[in-house]
Amino acid sequence: MSVPVITADRLGKRYTLGGTPGGIGARTLRDAIGAAIRAPRRAGEARELWALRDVSFTVGAGEILGVIGRNGAGKSTLLKLLSRITRPTEGRMRIRGRIASLLEVGTGFHMELTGRENVYLNGAVLGMRRAEIARKFDEIVAFAEVERFIDTPVKRYSTGMFLRLAFAVAAHLEADILLVDEVLAVGDAEFQKKCLGKMDEVVHAGRTVLFVSHTMGAITGLCPTALLLEHGGVVMQGAAVDVVHAYLNANRSAPPSIDIARAQHLDAHHGAGIVRLERVELENPFGGSFAVPWKEPIRLTLRYQVEQDMTNVVFGLRVDSTTGVPLFGAHHTDDGAQPVTIARGTHHLNIIIENTLQAGRYVLAIGAHSAVSRDILFLVPDAATLDVLDVTATGRPYLGKYGCQTNGSAAWEFSD
Amino acid sequence: MQPPILEAQERIYDATRPFKGFVRELWAYRELAFFLAWRDVKVRYKQTLLGVGWAMLRPVVSMAIFTFVFHRMAGIASGGIAYPLFALAGIVGWNLVAEGVGAGSASLLGNTNLVTKVYFPRIVIPLSALARGLADVVPALCVFAVALAVYGAAPGWALAVLPLAVLHALAVAFGLSLWFSALSVRYRDVAHALPFVLQTLFWVSPVGYGAESVPAAVAMLYWCNPLTGVIQLFRFALLGSAHLPLELYVLSAACGLGILLSGLWFFQTVEADFADVI
């Protein structure tokens, strides 16, 4: 490893919750006095929360380290400590070089001021010198693509323009160490790509970057190494792909096989209970959860129980968004296959769903009906929750969103 | 690939010790202080009809009311100087301090997003908020110049003391701002207490009347008010004469200095926790 520029040595940060005189809960003087009078001895019993504890790690010069972890794992607290916004309760940190933190885009922007004025103001807030801002001004404005509106108050900007300008200022910071929190969550897909490109540039200028994100694709794409935080402690530091994998493993939202309860079946139809779905299993789970990488086909195995011999059965499924919008449906007869006859007993069915879904969370509905009577035989509207991840099967980041609802693919053949 | 740029110095932050280098830090962030001050001044009168006219209108209206209430009704004397001028000189000084304290005390809560998202010495915030008071002093002085002309008076050599008076006023305003703003982070009571404190200060400061009207028995106590010295100094600078015994002025200034130094101490003690508590 190169020269360490950040060394954290058993860093800890404790927050005190509850109504003690010195606690965060005391909002007015009356509360504080009241608490002291009512329960003078309870001061020591205040609820304490260690947002971080025993955190030790080093970051070498020019390294770009991703920091991942669930909400509340301590990621933001770590950045706040390193950027000196708040003071550690225990431990030490050593920092070599000028440090700049980007915990939020547009900090200090004032709506009444023009774009130009805000560039200077925001630059100063982020720790840039006036001369430095003046030198980079044109570059910042060009990057943000707001040349025409630079002398317009930012309150007249669209959200996109505002965020672009805000990111542009931040991206042109000349710091040795850059602490970044979720900045990529700004702007449209095109601008996000541009931001990623800029981040890449930043790394290659020899800067050291600590990058906190929930976007696994951005972590594996930008950071060779990553740090996994859990419950305020470092669980793992290593190659980003491995750490992301470990995180997804630990962070399973649903197991890859799901037992379906009787109650999940819709029963308000004729013949309810004759066919019952018992289990849905994802054959190709990623990271041990009901999740597949981007573009990876979804291979399901259903196990179902039939109470009496059935003929003319058609199986179907539907993929819904988590807000309940049906995205697409398919029946096993779609391509000309015939309805099936099933004997009483337990059976299995393998399904391969072509994955044209964007990264995100989806709900699978599974059912069957009779091709003759059109009666529903069974229907489970929320058989499984499926996560489509923002990484490809090989761990490459996923970027091709283009603001669209689904993926498509096309075959391209060039000729004279 | 370029080699990493490294500053020679290495900073070590130890949880058990507070961050050091307060003055050097403040100096390093002087441009930020300037930009925040500039922002406050610039934004102040945006989208207003009268704009900077407000800074002229307010002293004029105060002067008119003071003349009616204090002079006509209560019969307060002004020691040979036209009462409106006498009152206006006091108002200019009072407004500078009151505006500064008002803006400074509210400054930390008004910049919560800066406090929780970026690092810089927090003292920059109440410091730059003083600019609001300072920005209003120039139009107020223009009003005073007009009033002087109307009464056929001219400024004397004492005007040379004016910068000192402004500095004194800012120091007092800063001292009070440090206390109030730092307290306001933890206790929202400050927002309720501040108007009351300012109103009280107004009555125990020589704004509508002169310090010479105060009974000798309580003079010492009266001059412990840091604003007494400030306003009498303003009156002296602008009118050329005022009741301003040196030893009493020093007493008032010392009290002001005490508030400033204790304010700096208090602010520094609690500043590290601002982001957690605000």
Side-chain angles (χ1 to χ4, degrees), chain A residues 246-269:
Chain A
Y247 170 68
L248 291 175
N249 246 323
N251 193 32
R252 63 181 63 186
S253 37
S257 75
I258 299 165
D259 290 321
I260 307 294
R262 197 177 284 266
Q264 281 176 265
H265 288 68
L266 230 58
D267 56 5
H269 57 82

Side-chain angles (χ1 to χ4, degrees), chain A residues 9 19 36 51 63 85 91 97 136 152 167 174 201 241 245 248 265 285 320 326 342 352 359 369 395 401:
Chain A
D9 182 17
E63 221 181 292
I85 290 168
K136 298 199 163 178
T152 308
F167 181 88
E174 265 182 5
E201 226 176 85
V241 179
H245 204 271
L248 291 175
H265 288 68
D320 294 346
I342 324 164
I352 299 172
H369 69 266
K401 196 171 174 183

